[in-house]
Amino acid sequence: MQKIVLLSDTHSHIDDKMLKFIEPADMVIHAGDVGNVNVLNQLQNYKPTVAVFGNIDDAEMRTKLPQCVIFNIEDVKVLMTHIGGYPGRYSLGIAKKIREEKPQLFISGHSHILKVMFDKQLNCMHMNPGAAGLFGFHMVRTMLRFTIDGNKIENLEVWEMPKNHTITNETSNGFF
């Protein structure tokens, strides 16, 4: 059994409240718009991390991260990209990629809107963790935590934090 934290759209921000939610996880998955290499390094030094680059990530991040990644967690095949859409409204080429790869879990970010839904047509769970960072139109910062046990995705938890909560320099790492 693996405990996973899924986040996206950190936009160069990570703080102690986020790290507290990540602490019990075995693995971190970041669905793009990391923002800078310092956030990526902090996550990678904290927990094993799989990430993709997003549309705001610079050339340095794009040399370190793929645009799309396929990997397994236990018996669950995962396909992840930053701009992917969601069931019924996938981005160009994503439904075709899901049909070809047949993942049990498709992950995307970009929208800043938390969505977890099952695509009955493609027989695939879709997760978008919303946005964990401070930049964007979202009013609540969100992340997901769940377990993968064999081929089962279970125990989904949602982390929410008002975007306007007070952050000290101690927790902001100076990234905003």
Side-chain angles (χ1 to χ4, degrees):
M1 181 174 71
Q2 294 285 308
K3 190 173 275 194
I4 312 299
V5 167
L6 173 58
L7 70 161
S8 184
D9 296 276
T10 49
H11 291 266
S12 301
H13 178 80
I14 193 161
D15 61 52
D16 291 342
K17 292 180 189 310
M18 294 167 70
L19 293 173
K20 185 175 181 184
F21 185 74
I22 293 169
E23 172 58 36
D26 300 308
M27 173 183 201
V28 173
I29 301 174
H30 196 302
D33 279 0
V34 178
N36 68 38
V37 73
N38 295 332
V39 170
L40 180 63
N41 289 341
Q42 190 166 358
L43 289 171
Q44 289 174 330
N45 290 333
Y46 197 56
K47 299 285 178 174
T49 301
V50 175
V52 293
F53 72 77
N55 57 295
I56 67 108
D57 290 318
D58 65 12
E60 180 182 15
M61 292 297 293
R62 290 169 189 242
T63 63
K64 294 183 178 301
L65 299 173
Q67 181 177 16
C68 182
V69 66
I70 299 167
F71 59 102
N72 290 309
I73 303 172
E74 297 210 3
D75 298 330
V76 173
K77 185 175 185 180
V78 180
L79 168 64
M80 178 171 63
T81 193
H82 181 62
I83 301 175
Y86 53 91
R89 297 197 60 170
Y90 289 114
S91 299
L92 186 63
I94 295 298
K96 180 178 185 247
K97 185 99 170 158
I98 292 171
R99 278 192 289 281
E100 290 171 358
E101 296 295 337
K102 298 179 177 35
Q104 287 80 33
L105 177 59
F106 171 65
I107 296 171
S108 64
H110 185 64
S111 71
H112 291 223
I113 300 168
L114 185 147
K115 281 189 188 222
V116 176
M117 53 196 304
F118 189 77
D119 185 332
K120 291 178 185 176
Q121 288 186 339
L122 298 178
N123 195 33
C124 179
M125 178 64 71
H126 169 260
M127 290 186 182
N128 182 325
L134 299 173
F135 178 78
F137 68 87
H138 59 282
M139 300 304 292
V140 177
R141 299 165 52 213
T142 55
M143 294 187 288
L144 296 173
R145 188 167 56 202
F146 55 96
T147 59
I148 293 181
D149 191 0
N151 66 354
K152 295 178 188 160
I153 303 168
E154 304 176 307
N155 304 314
L156 181 66
E157 300 172 76
V158 175
W159 177 87
E160 294 182 318
M161 179 64 59
K163 192 164 92 172
N164 62 356
H165 81 281
T166 303
I167 298 173
T168 66
N169 285 337
E170 199 172 279
T171 58
S172 74
N173 294 324
F175 295 136
F176 66 100

